[in-house]
Amino acid sequence: MARSHSHDAHALLPDADARRTAEARLVALIERHWDEVAGLPVAPGASYEELAERLAQFDFREPVPPERAIELCGELLRDGIVHTSHPRYFGLFNPTPTFAGVCAGAIVAAFNPQLAVTSHAPAAVAIERHVLSFLARTLGLGQAAGSFTSGGAEANLTAVLLALERHLPEAAVDGLDAARGRPRIYVSSEAHHSFIKVARMTGLGHRALRLVPTTPRLQLDPEALRQQVVDDRAAGDRPFLVVATAGTTAAGVVDRLAEIADLRDELGVDLHVDAAWGGAVCLSDRLRPILAGIERADSVTIDAHKWLSVPMGAGVFLTPHREALESTFRVTADYIPSASGSDPYLSSVQWSRRFIGLKVFMSLLVAGRAGYARQLEHDCRLGDRLRALLEEDGWLIVNRTPLPVVCFTDEPDGNPGRSASRLRAIAEHVVSSGAAWISVVELAGRPALRACITSYRSSEEDVIALRDALRRARAAHEPTDSAQRRMA
Ligand SMILES: Cc1ncc(COP(=O)(O)O)c(C=O)c1O
């Protein structure tokens, strides 16, 4: 028999008829989005101010029927976001979400399991552990421990906390003041900027981060790393962690992981590999060798909401050091029901936790490992095609990576300030036309345009459309020296 509700409860849970009407509207809205997004401008024109003005009419005095609320939110998002799920969004590791991942999001919201302790959600905790061990095995880490995180930044924070626990355990009780010598983390200048936040959050301070120079290929320079660690030790510092990146944010470059792992052994520090984006290629036997050496890491970040294309946020932290991970986060709280040694809250930053892993589990279940491998390999081929098209048009590719991030310029020797503003104008021209989304980055002090194959829906037709949009933008913004020549 259907359960009856108090009047107040109806405000939060409509009756069955009203629910069905709203649910049908919700499904129709999502279905329309899948169909129409490719035809929308990638970056719609509504400004923040216009959108805030549209919102001003809602003062929450009069209830709005749920189907109307669904429509309203759909309209706001249709007009007011960069459509990162557009096949011509060549952007910042924000993918088109998998269909299974979208379904998982709805299931998680409806069941709303609490994953702090295993006893509250054994099914959910078992599913997460199943996925985490699959990813750990696939990366070659063996029987690793770990957790789902909100994203790469939280996973990188976890890595630093774990390394502190392994190398400066005295700091957990007495704080960093107790450390003999200044703790040091080594990152390349191409590493993700979340490490700056991590240095501040952990109390290590920004200066604890040592910026290691890169080679001309924008990889962390192992020789420079060795020298810096040796010099710092000689000066009484406490080097404890090296961070390598597998798929840098700006240029998609993979550091020389095996060589850095050898150095880790020699120098007696920990090695964290930030594979937030590039780690996905472990699912393809053909691409896996790009990550050679990752299996020797002390910890790894891999974000499922990047190249595994699940909806945000879904980061993953993995480490073979299970005991140290547990001692990093262990606390006892007598109000926690039937706490067991392996409860997720005891080995991770979060306490209450959302069921992040379901969207990864369902996406892997539906696509299969082979489906992901085909997709990743397709994206790499499309990156190669884009490189070839751009070179035909006289662009110079300035990054070297087998992964589909393409950085390019036509003024390699121009004045960096002037070419940065011209390249920004070109990117802006492409973006404001609605044809595609690209950005500008700085690599070793020089500006470049950046396009990444981000959506699994991108095709050859889309990279050709990007090439054409760039032709139009370049015609409107000639290189600074040729404009100068014409004026002379
Ligand atoms: C290499 C790398 N690490 C970490 C992050 C941070 O990830 P998130 O934004 O999911 O916190 C990013 C984000 O782009 C990244 O590219």
Side-chain angles (χ1 to χ4, degrees):
M1 210 176 80
R3 196 180 160 86
S4 64
H5 297 280
S6 72
H7 178 72
D8 279 352
H10 278 80
L12 302 185
L13 180 67
D15 65 30
D17 284 346
R19 282 205 305 272
R20 280 186 199 117
T21 306
E23 282 159 359
R25 198 65 66 88
L26 174 65
V27 170
L29 175 104
I30 294 172
E31 191 46 42
R32 189 173 117 185
H33 181 65
W34 290 117
D35 275 350
E36 76 173 4
V37 68
L40 295 175
V42 187
S47 68
Y48 176 83
E49 288 71 25
E50 285 162 42
L51 294 158
E53 206 174 345
R54 268 156 74 175
L55 280 168
Q57 64 179 296
F58 302 112
D59 60 7
F60 311 117
R61 268 189 219 157
E62 285 302 314
V64 169
E67 62 278 12
R68 180 70 194 124
I70 288 166
E71 284 298 325
L72 281 167
C73 294
E75 283 160 20
L76 282 165
L77 292 180
R78 190 174 183 274
D79 299 345
I81 62 168
V82 171
H83 288 295
T84 52
S85 50
H86 197 295
R88 292 179 191 166
Y89 174 75
F90 296 104
L92 303 171
F93 303 155
N94 302 308
T96 303
T98 59
F99 176 71
V102 172
C103 298
I107 296 173
V108 169
F111 283 76
N112 203 26
Q114 164 61 286
L115 280 77
V117 289
T118 308
S119 62
H120 248 54
V125 173
I127 287 173
E128 288 210 335
R129 295 219 169 114
H130 187 69
V131 177
L132 291 172
S133 23
F134 166 75
L135 288 174
R137 279 196 316 277
T138 310
L139 284 164
L141 293 169
Q143 298 282 331
S147 62
F148 281 95
T149 63
S150 55
E154 184 192 327
N156 287 342
L157 168 65
T158 309
V160 172
L161 292 169
L162 170 69
L164 274 172
E165 174 69 14
R166 279 168 48 77
H167 291 266
L168 292 97
E170 67 274 22
V173 179
D174 294 320
L176 289 168
D177 285 351
R180 290 172 311 280
R182 188 176 183 124
R184 296 283 194 195
I185 302 175
Y186 298 79
V187 297
S188 93
S189 43
E190 293 296 311
H192 192 259
H193 287 65
S194 54
F195 285 100
I196 297 175
K197 278 196 190 182
V198 169
R200 290 184 182 152
M201 283 190 283
T202 50
L204 286 163
H206 195 149
R207 287 216 190 94
L209 285 185
R210 302 293 263 157
L211 272 198
V212 182
T214 53
T215 64
R217 296 184 72 155
L218 302 170
Q219 292 169 310
L220 182 147
D221 182 340
E223 216 21 73
L225 169 67
R226 173 194 277 117
Q227 198 55 53
Q228 225 162 341
V229 171
V230 168
D231 290 350
D232 285 351
R233 274 223 173 103
D237 292 347
R238 297 272 297 271
F240 73 101
L241 177 65
V242 172
V243 176
T245 310
T248 56
T249 314
V253 164
V254 180
D255 284 333
R256 286 145 61 175
L257 304 179
E259 255 176 87
I260 300 170
D262 287 345
L263 269 181
R264 176 274 316 267
D265 294 344
E266 179 189 322
L267 298 168
V269 291
D270 269 9
L271 168 62
H272 175 65
V273 178
D274 181 355
W277 177 64
V281 303
C282 69
L283 291 174
S284 151
D285 291 340
R286 200 173 306 162
L287 300 174
R288 172 68 179 79
I290 294 170
L291 300 175
I294 199 169
E295 65 284 354
R296 295 169 61 195
D298 294 290
S299 57
V300 172
T301 288
I302 168 170
D303 273 357
H305 68 199
K306 292 193 166 70
W307 211 356
L308 292 182
S309 300
V310 311
M312 281 184 263
V316 169
F317 174 79
L318 294 167
T319 176
H321 305 299
R322 180 179 298 276
E323 271 182 30
L325 184 68
E326 287 173 1
S327 61
T328 304
F329 293 103
R330 187 174 300 123
V331 286
T332 45
D334 52 14
Y335 48 83
I336 292 288
S338 63
S340 81
S342 61
D343 286 331
Y345 89 101
L346 290 172
S347 57
S348 60
V349 171
Q350 295 179 25
W351 200 288
S352 285
R353 67 173 45 244
R354 182 181 164 82
F355 187 10
I356 296 170
L358 189 69
K359 52 197 168 192
V360 190
F361 177 71
M362 279 182 59
S363 298
L364 282 165
L365 211 53
V366 170
R369 192 180 165 154
Y372 267 110
R374 276 197 305 278
Q375 187 57 49
L376 295 156
E377 290 163 19
H378 164 85
D379 291 354
C380 289
R381 278 195 302 275
L382 213 51
D384 292 342
R385 180 77 184 114
L386 177 59
R387 276 182 202 104
L389 285 170
L390 294 174
E391 280 176 334
E392 276 166 30
D393 271 10
W395 295 99
L396 181 78
I397 309 300
V398 293
N399 64 331
R400 292 281 164 268
T401 174
L403 305 181
V405 175
V406 185
C407 299
F408 52 103
T409 180
D410 52 2
E411 293 186 81
D413 304 317
N415 171 296
R418 273 207 304 274
S419 48
S421 51
R422 174 172 161 268
L423 293 178
R424 267 197 294 277
I426 289 178
E428 181 50 34
H429 193 285
V430 170
V431 171
S432 60
S433 73
W437 199 97
I438 55 170
S439 54
V440 177
V441 288
E442 198 179 286
L443 300 176
R446 302 211 62 90
L449 288 160
R450 174 190 184 279
C452 172
I453 309 299
T454 311
S455 167
Y456 62 80
R457 292 177 99 180
S458 300
S459 65
E460 164 132 23
E461 201 184 301
D462 297 307
V463 297
I464 290 173
L466 171 59
R467 187 265 323 263
D468 294 345
L470 280 163
R471 281 183 181 169
R472 292 191 293 275
R474 192 144 65 149
H477 302 277
E478 288 178 25
T480 34
D481 54 349
S482 68
Q484 276 158 6
R485 265 200 307 278
R486 263 190 318 104
M487 278 159 63

